[in-house]
Amino acid sequence: MATMKLTTQLKTSPITPIWSPNSTRSARPSRVGFRVSASYSQQVGPDLTVKVNGLTMPNPFVIGSGPPGTNYTVMKRAFDEGWGAVIAKTVSLDAAKVINVTPRYAKLKAGVNGSAKPQIIGWENIELISDRPLEIMLKEFKQLKEEYPDRILIASIMEEYDKAAWEELIDRVEQTGVDAIEINFSCPHGMPERKMGAAVGKDCALLEEVCGWINAKATVPVWAKMTPNVTDITEPARVALQSGCEGVAAINTIMSVMGINLKTLRPEPCVEGYSTPGGYSSKAVHPIALAKVMSIAKMMKAEFSEEFSLSGIGGVETGDDAAEFILLGANTVQVCTGVMMHGYGLVKKLCAELKDFMRIHNFSSIEDFRGASLPYFTTHTELVRMQQEAIRLKKATKKGLTSDKDWTGDGFVQETESMVSN
């Protein structure tokens, strides 16, 4: 069993970055309230424990907001299986406005020609946020925290462009005892006319204002979930952190049209003969997610302190997938579509594979390799310069022996050949 300890953090007023003359890195605000930390002594081999924004998790694997966190039953299953944390499906004040359709998923498969069981590499959804009454979701949050006091439960919230509504939602959610809040600034479909989801995440001025409202009210750590459907993802990520958020999560799904059924000539997923663009996830988005996370991580390393956190999301189905995000600087790794395809038991495979990776490289903890690959990204111009310099040095290297005293008996033939003109 894990042993628990309670720590208390004090909140400062909503912040702007704290700048020093010798640094461009800003400090993180702290929040009021109890944080549940756990010491997981049952770790065998490499230690997967992570501590992020004052919250301790047994491993970096987090259930991403969506169907895997849609009710008490499935969130309880996630904790029982050993997930490091659970982010519930996004809630709002008025669930009556949320009406889903079905079918609402579509799959992209690889190896259709001749494959006995084609592999799913892409997944599209046109699903909205939680359609369950807020009161029920809040009751289930409270029940989960009572039953799993040493586990991390994070609420995902989204509201309209209304300060009072955001404040009410935050207050009601925090009363359940959740450990943190993730703000959905990134859902690519559904209700943009109400200035919800990506409609805020794409507009830095709007994002700054709404983050200001949220962080003036929240007393637990706040993560801003970023949309990839922008030109430069570092811009909204920077605004969110400067406006008081303790962390960012990236990426949410990519706006997509999964395809057209060439028999019916109708788009997929097809509802009454029609469809709408939706969010793209699964393996096919993994390289895109890595690039976005890399950009955010470089920006955070240059401009913010280590106290700010980054949660990587996108196509994680193996421990190696997760290791890539961590090598780029992510503190935690979220999985949503992977759970929908493989089930909650996937976390055991993820943990085992991540430990295998760590053993190969003699890493004893996540922090031993977090961000280790980040310094090896540069500009194309710099790549050209480095390669030209390497070629110059190679050409400048003298071939053969420089003095008669360097001849040896054992290597005489090779030493002779080294001085033969080609």
Side-chain angles (χ1 to χ4, degrees):
M1 289 292 293
T3 58
M4 291 188 301
K5 60 180 180 180
L6 295 179
T7 59
T8 305
Q9 297 177 313
L10 298 176
K11 179 183 173 67
T12 59
S13 58
I15 65 157
T16 54
I18 301 174
W19 308 101
S20 69
N22 300 319
S23 174
T24 59
R25 306 176 75 172
S26 56
R28 182 183 68 83
S30 58
R31 306 273 184 178
V32 169
F34 288 109
R35 300 289 173 270
V36 181
S37 300
S39 176
Y40 293 88
S41 57
Q42 72 271 27
Q43 292 282 357
V44 177
D47 185 3
L48 298 184
T49 304
V50 295
K51 187 170 184 179
V52 54
N53 303 131
L55 307 174
T56 302
M57 305 176 190
N59 60 68
F61 296 109
V62 178
I63 291 286
S65 180
T70 197
N71 60 43
Y72 166 83
T73 301
V74 297
M75 289 188 280
K76 173 180 170 60
R77 176 64 180 273
F79 283 140
D80 289 341
E81 290 287 351
W83 288 84
V86 171
I87 303 178
K89 192 172 185 182
T90 304
V91 297
S92 62
L93 289 176
D94 189 359
K97 295 179 180 179
V98 181
I99 302 174
N100 277 300
V101 295
T102 191
R104 53 181 175 266
Y105 306 137
K107 302 174 183 177
L108 180 65
K109 298 180 180 180
V112 174
N113 295 328
S115 296
K117 188 177 181 182
Q119 184 182 38
I120 298 171
I121 62 168
W123 185 288
E124 183 194 2
N125 83 86
I126 55 173
E127 186 162 346
L128 303 180
I129 63 175
S130 178
D131 58 8
R132 304 180 70 221
L134 179 62
E135 291 74 16
I136 293 177
M137 291 292 282
L138 296 180
K139 179 181 178 181
E140 293 181 355
F141 292 169
K142 189 173 188 296
Q143 184 177 357
L144 282 164
K145 283 306 301 178
E146 290 172 350
E147 295 178 9
Y148 297 87
D150 63 335
R151 305 308 293 274
I152 303 302
L153 177 62
I154 300 173
S156 173
I157 65 174
M158 183 166 72
E159 253 309 321
E160 299 184 31
Y161 180 64
D162 182 327
K163 181 180 179 182
W166 277 107
E167 291 176 339
E168 179 185 348
L169 183 57
I170 291 167
D171 183 57
R172 295 180 67 182
V173 165
E174 285 195 354
Q175 288 182 36
T176 67
V178 296
D179 301 286
I181 296 173
E182 183 179 82
I183 313 298
N184 188 340
F185 288 134
S186 47
C187 182
H189 55 273
M191 301 178 287
E193 68 282 357
R194 291 164 58 188
K195 292 188 178 180
M196 299 178 77
V200 179
K202 291 179 178 181
D203 184 332
C204 285
L206 194 60
L207 179 66
E208 182 178 25
E209 182 179 19
V210 175
C211 279
W213 299 343
I214 292 167
N215 289 297
K217 181 67 176 178
T219 64
V220 297
V222 174
W223 295 357
K225 190 172 184 179
M226 299 284 99
T227 173
N229 302 300
V230 292
T231 302
D232 182 357
I233 198 170
T234 65
E235 293 180 358
R238 179 184 294 107
V239 167
L241 295 173
Q242 288 178 344
S243 301
C245 295
E246 279 82 359
V248 294
I251 59 175
N252 205 326
T253 52
I254 301 169
M255 184 66 85
S256 66
V257 170
M258 182 57 79
I260 306 297
N261 185 315
L262 297 182
K263 293 181 180 179
T264 65
L265 311 186
R266 301 300 177 95
E268 300 287 354
C270 192
V271 180
E272 308 303 329
Y274 292 83
S275 191
T276 187
Y280 193 46
S281 60
S282 195
K283 288 184 179 182
V285 310
H286 186 64
I288 299 169
L290 289 176
K292 299 291 186 180
V293 166
M294 180 274 293
S295 295
I296 294 173
K298 289 193 73 171
M299 179 273 293
M300 291 177 66
K301 186 173 181 63
E303 301 178 22
F304 295 88
S305 77
E306 291 292 329
E307 293 300 307
F308 290 86
S309 66
L310 176 57
S311 190
I313 316 167
V316 173
E317 294 183 34
T318 69
D320 287 350
D321 294 334
E324 290 179 305
F325 276 121
I326 297 168
L327 285 164
L328 292 179
N331 302 84
T332 59
V333 179
Q334 295 187 30
V335 186
C336 181
T337 307
V339 178
M340 296 170 72
M341 294 193 296
H342 305 293
Y344 292 90
L346 176 64
V347 69
K348 294 181 175 61
K349 173 177 176 286
L350 294 174
C351 287
E353 291 174 347
L354 185 57
K355 283 188 175 184
D356 287 344
F357 161 81
M358 293 170 68
R359 288 190 187 97
I360 290 171
H361 295 279
N362 294 317
F363 296 135
S364 60
S365 71
I366 297 296
E367 285 301 312
D368 283 350
F369 67 100
R370 189 173 68 83
S373 298
L374 201 58
Y376 299 102
F377 286 91
T378 187
T379 64
H380 189 272
T381 299
E382 182 63 11
L383 290 178
V384 171
R385 186 202 65 77
M386 288 190 294
Q387 189 161 74
Q388 289 177 339
E389 177 66 10
I391 292 171
R392 186 189 68 78
L393 290 174
K394 185 177 181 181
K395 287 181 177 179
T397 301
K398 291 182 178 180
K399 294 181 64 177
L401 306 180
T402 58
S403 173
D404 282 352
K405 66 180 177 59
D406 295 329
W407 289 94
T408 66
D410 292 337
F412 191 82
V413 174
Q414 291 82 4
E415 290 160 359
T416 301
E417 285 297 321
S418 73
M419 293 181 282
V420 174
S421 176
N422 293 328

